[in-house]
Amino acid sequence: MLSRVANSIYWLNRYSERAENVARFIDANYQMALDIPESSGSQWQPLINTTGDHELFEKLYGKVTREKAIEFLVFDRNNPNSIHSCVRAARENARSVREYISSEMWEQLNTFYLMINSAAKEDSMDLPHQFFADIMTASHTFIGITDSTMNHGEGWHFGRLGRMLERADKTLRILDVKYFILLPSVDYVGSPYDNILWGALLRSASAFEMYRKRHGRIDPKKIVDFLLLDLHFPRAVHYCLDTSMSSLQHITGGRRGTYSNKAEQGLGRLLAGFDFASLEEIFELGLHEYLVKTEAEILDVGISVREVFFSPQVADTATEMRALE
Amino acid sequence: MRFDGYKTEGFYDELFDSQGKARSGADLLIERINALPGAELQRRQKTAESALLNLGITFNVYGNESQTEKIFPFDIVPRIIQAKEWQVLEPGLKQRIKALNCFIDDVYNDQKILKDKIIPSDLVLSAEGFRKPCMGLKPPCGIWCHITGTDLVRGGDGEFYVLEDNLRCPSGVSYVLENRLLMKRTFPMVFDACSVQPVNEYPNRLLDMLQEIAPQGVRSPTVVVWTPGIYNSAYFEHSFLAQQMGVPLVEGSDLLIHRGEVMMRTTKGLERVDVIYRRIDDDFMDPKAFREDSMLGVPGLMEAYSQGKVALANAPGTGVADDKAVYAYVPEIIRYYLDEEPIIKNVKTFACWREDECQYVLENLDKLVVKAVNESGGYGMLIGPHSTKEEQKEFAKRIKASPRTYIAQPTLDLSRVPVMVEDHFEGRHVDLRPYILYGSKDIYVMPGGLTRVALKKGSLVVNSSQGGGSKDTWVLNAEGGPSPESPVQKQEGL
């Protein structure tokens, strides 16, 4: 398939996944803030940190409040990672590959965009939960439509690769930020708030129910274990990397345990680390350090994917000649 | 909503005769619409419009940055063409394109028609669409114009005339296909009862034709559609056609010349391209052969083309034959190459480079439509009866300064079709653009084509960039009977 088309499919999936994650963060935070008595802006700062855009926020808005945080994360078009910007970018990418994806996929993304667009114009949020739930549903619907209307060939695998790398990155970030907010709050240990806060962390990753089924009691270490190392929970980092690898190998025709390019090598190495990781070792290294290192490695995989597939060099003088002309 | 108060106001109406009676073939449609309860028709129109928006069937408007996408306005009352009218138009269109194709081939090779002085040599060689780099080219099967969209209009006398030949990259066919889909959803029953000729063959025909013209010796050719990119006004169509044919849609940056062949960049390296349906102007195709500053083009493409390594549809240089000045000579061109009388007439055309005709034009600016020969899309036009004295003066000045670049035609009483205006029907002017595919085996004319409608009251400009919309066009079967592509079995009601 065309490199440009692969690139667009990869990104349209990343962007719609990103929009979904931002919606989920905000929704979980919103609910949590309602449960905590002395709620002010303090729950919203970490949310801005999760997306990695705190510097831009400070420049545009100054001090964090709930209203400003939501405006920034949902509607602000100056924020390239706001829900509005992400869905717009997903749609623009889809528009450039409309002939390749199914009409149903395009129609869903287009409707998704029109929904956000009209909400942005109204600028009201009477029922925030409903709004965020609609966004998550729109994204889930898109995934379902993609799976059931598009050939599960190269293009589909590029899409899934993008989505899974994005999701792994977001789970890492939310874990990183929330863990450090939650950990020092010794006052809360054993109090009802303890459960509320850890519950909110799980809900940010839509993991609450599945965690309960797997581990039962709320236990910070088990939560970390679940969100990082579980191989069955679809938002766990390990699951995401495993699925990414499987898509990458569908694309290259490679086998697990071997590699033929930089992307496969990087992702394979990262995945092997997860395959044989233990929670004890992770905490020994320091959770924060581990998360930051993994985030960086995922970023590198993304860069390699781009170099290998989206801007391939022609092994001949033709491109050089073209560049000279 | 009913047609009771509808008036044809002295214009030729496509659905009603001058007595206000439904024309044969349209009677069933009128009857069914009249029978609809209250606001049902408005409801269906709304449903159709929101479907268009959700499908993202939009076009881009130049010079309008904030709101770059618009739905192409669509009116759900179809335009109906009788079988016996179509039986004249179809051979007429084939005849015309055959002759124009001969003309282009001749101009870029032997130039017999110029030597025989049928048409002034300098007029052709100075035409804006004439491309010197095309001299001596021999496209596969001698076909230059693979895809044509000829603009027809019906005058007050009820006769069809050719208004313009679009031989470069005619657009709009995707709207025909989407409009039809929408109509079948909106009016399944009436559609079924009316026996309408199908249009959905077009993408198959197009793909067949493109595969036929592949360079010799290529077994299963790789066909691509080439678009200037998502900001092009017809991007939706490029993408739609690629999708319907199941072929890649490429941009210039996806293509390169490698060892003399056209290649595209894929995730698995370079892959050869055999046939390009290009939707990009000649000028931008290859900076080596045409405009040097083209960022969209593929350097070396023309070289590969002239070596027969790749086929292009349409061939470069076809614009020489849809020049508005050359238009005036098309009847002569038909006689010269085919030794036949033109089946569809030209609109009477005054050429400002002929002194006597220029004088007439200058004296009758208030009655004529003046067109700059190098402009299209409804730009650079003076519509005499709707113009002010200042505008006429301005055009007189321009014509005197450069007579070669202007033609004039009598104002046509374009025929009208009812459109929905809030809660009632009003007549609006329409034209018709059928699409023609010129293959190595036969010529295919899509039954019907795009009916464009000037939605502004009294306006004669149907271009989408100037407030035009579209309608579905129903060419009826001669024998009657159910529509071959009808979605339902025969039932009563709509």
Side-chain angles (χ1 to χ4, degrees), chain B residues 107-373:
Chain B
V107 164
Y108 288 119
N109 287 283
D110 304 334
Q111 302 196 334
K112 284 192 206 121
I113 195 167
L114 306 184
K115 286 169 194 152
D116 289 344
K117 303 207 185 311
I118 305 295
I119 168 168
S121 187
D122 61 323
L123 198 75
V124 173
L125 302 180
S126 70
E128 200 260 340
F130 178 76
R131 291 285 172 282
K132 208 156 185 216
C134 297
M135 286 302 296
L137 280 184
K138 291 265 177 213
C141 316
I143 305 169
W144 294 71
C145 288
H146 308 86
I147 300 125
T148 310
T150 307
D151 287 346
L152 302 175
V153 292
R154 199 204 287 265
D157 55 0
E159 234 189 292
F160 277 102
Y161 295 87
V162 175
L163 189 65
E164 211 169 276
D165 301 284
N166 296 292
L167 305 174
R168 285 168 278 190
C169 304
S171 63
V173 72
S174 57
Y175 298 113
V176 177
L177 299 170
E178 288 287 0
N179 286 354
R180 177 59 56 87
L181 207 66
L182 217 55
M183 285 302 280
K184 285 198 280 186
R185 285 188 200 165
T186 318
F187 288 121
M189 307 302 176
V190 75
F191 190 86
D192 181 54
C194 280
S195 185
V196 180
Q197 294 192 30
V199 294
N200 54 8
E201 238 189 312
Y202 185 84
N204 292 334
R205 293 276 191 163
L206 180 61
L207 182 60
D208 286 349
M209 183 275 287
L210 291 169
Q211 285 174 339
E212 276 168 30
I213 61 169
Q216 277 193 333
V218 178
R219 266 172 173 241
S220 48
T222 300
V223 175
V224 300
V225 177
W226 181 7
T227 174
I230 63 167
Y231 298 108
N232 185 270
S233 59
Y235 179 75
F236 161 71
E237 174 155 311
H238 307 159
S239 151
F240 177 84
L241 290 174
Q243 183 184 49
Q244 292 297 307
M245 292 191 289
V247 305
L249 178 70
V250 303
E251 294 177 13
S253 59
D254 297 324
L255 300 176
L256 73 160
I257 306 295
H258 180 62
R259 302 206 172 106
E261 292 185 319
V262 182
M263 298 287 195
M264 58 182 178
R265 297 168 208 271
T266 78
T267 53
K268 302 212 159 54
L270 298 182
E271 198 183 304
R272 198 184 65 211
V273 173
D274 305 301
V275 182
I276 303 176
Y277 175 20
R278 50 100 179 190
R279 295 295 299 258
I280 179 169
D281 286 345
D282 290 351
D283 283 346
F284 296 100
M285 284 201 309
D286 179 355
K288 277 183 167 175
F290 302 111
R291 267 173 68 160
E292 283 175 32
D293 59 345
S294 169
M295 305 293 286
L296 307 168
V298 182
L301 178 65
M302 274 301 278
E303 175 67 24
Y305 177 66
S306 57
Q307 299 288 324
K309 301 281 192 191
V310 68
L312 292 172
N314 290 351
T318 51
V320 69
D322 68 9
D323 186 278
K324 289 190 175 71
V326 173
Y327 167 87
Y329 296 87
V330 174
E332 295 305 319
I333 289 173
I334 294 174
R335 287 180 198 112
Y336 182 78
Y337 292 107
L338 306 180
D339 197 19
E340 293 172 10
E341 274 306 302
I343 300 172
I344 312 175
K345 286 182 189 159
N346 254 16
V347 177
K348 167 90 186 133
T349 302
F350 301 98
C352 295
W353 55 92
R354 293 183 193 133
E355 252 172 59
D356 48 335
E357 293 179 21
C358 187
Q359 199 49 42
Y360 177 82
V361 171
L362 290 171
E363 282 162 14
N364 293 282
L365 279 175
D366 55 334
K367 301 186 192 73
L368 299 169
V369 176
V370 183
K371 295 176 180 176
V373 296

Side-chain angles (χ1 to χ4, degrees), chain B residues 84-104:
Chain B
K84 61 176 193 296
E85 290 177 324
W86 191 249
Q87 281 160 2
V88 177
L89 290 178
E90 188 178 338
L93 291 164
K94 287 183 180 175
Q95 176 197 51
R96 193 165 173 107
I97 192 59
K98 240 190 253 171
L100 287 171
N101 194 69
C102 293
F103 171 71
I104 300 167

Side-chain angles (χ1 to χ4, degrees), chain A residues 1-4 6 91-92 95-96 98-99 101 103 106-107 110 114 154 251 314 316 318-319 322, chain B residues 53-56 69 230-231 235-236 239 243 249-251 254-255 258-259 264-268 270:
Chain A
M1 66 187 295
L2 284 174
S3 300
R4 177 179 52 80
R91 175 181 179 261
E92 282 295 282
R95 205 150 85 86
S96 73
R98 249 175 106 160
E99 82 296 347
I101 61 179
S103 321
W106 158 253
E107 214 175 315
N110 192 41
L114 295 173
E154 204 183 348
I251 294 164
V314 181
D316 192 278
T319 35
R322 196 164 177 233
Chain B
L53 189 64
N54 285 338
L55 288 164
E69 283 170 53
I230 63 167
Y231 298 108
Y235 179 75
F236 161 71
S239 151
Q243 183 184 49
L249 178 70
V250 303
E251 294 177 13
D254 297 324
L255 300 176
H258 180 62
R259 302 206 172 106
M264 58 182 178
R265 297 168 208 271
T266 78
T267 53
K268 302 212 159 54
L270 298 182

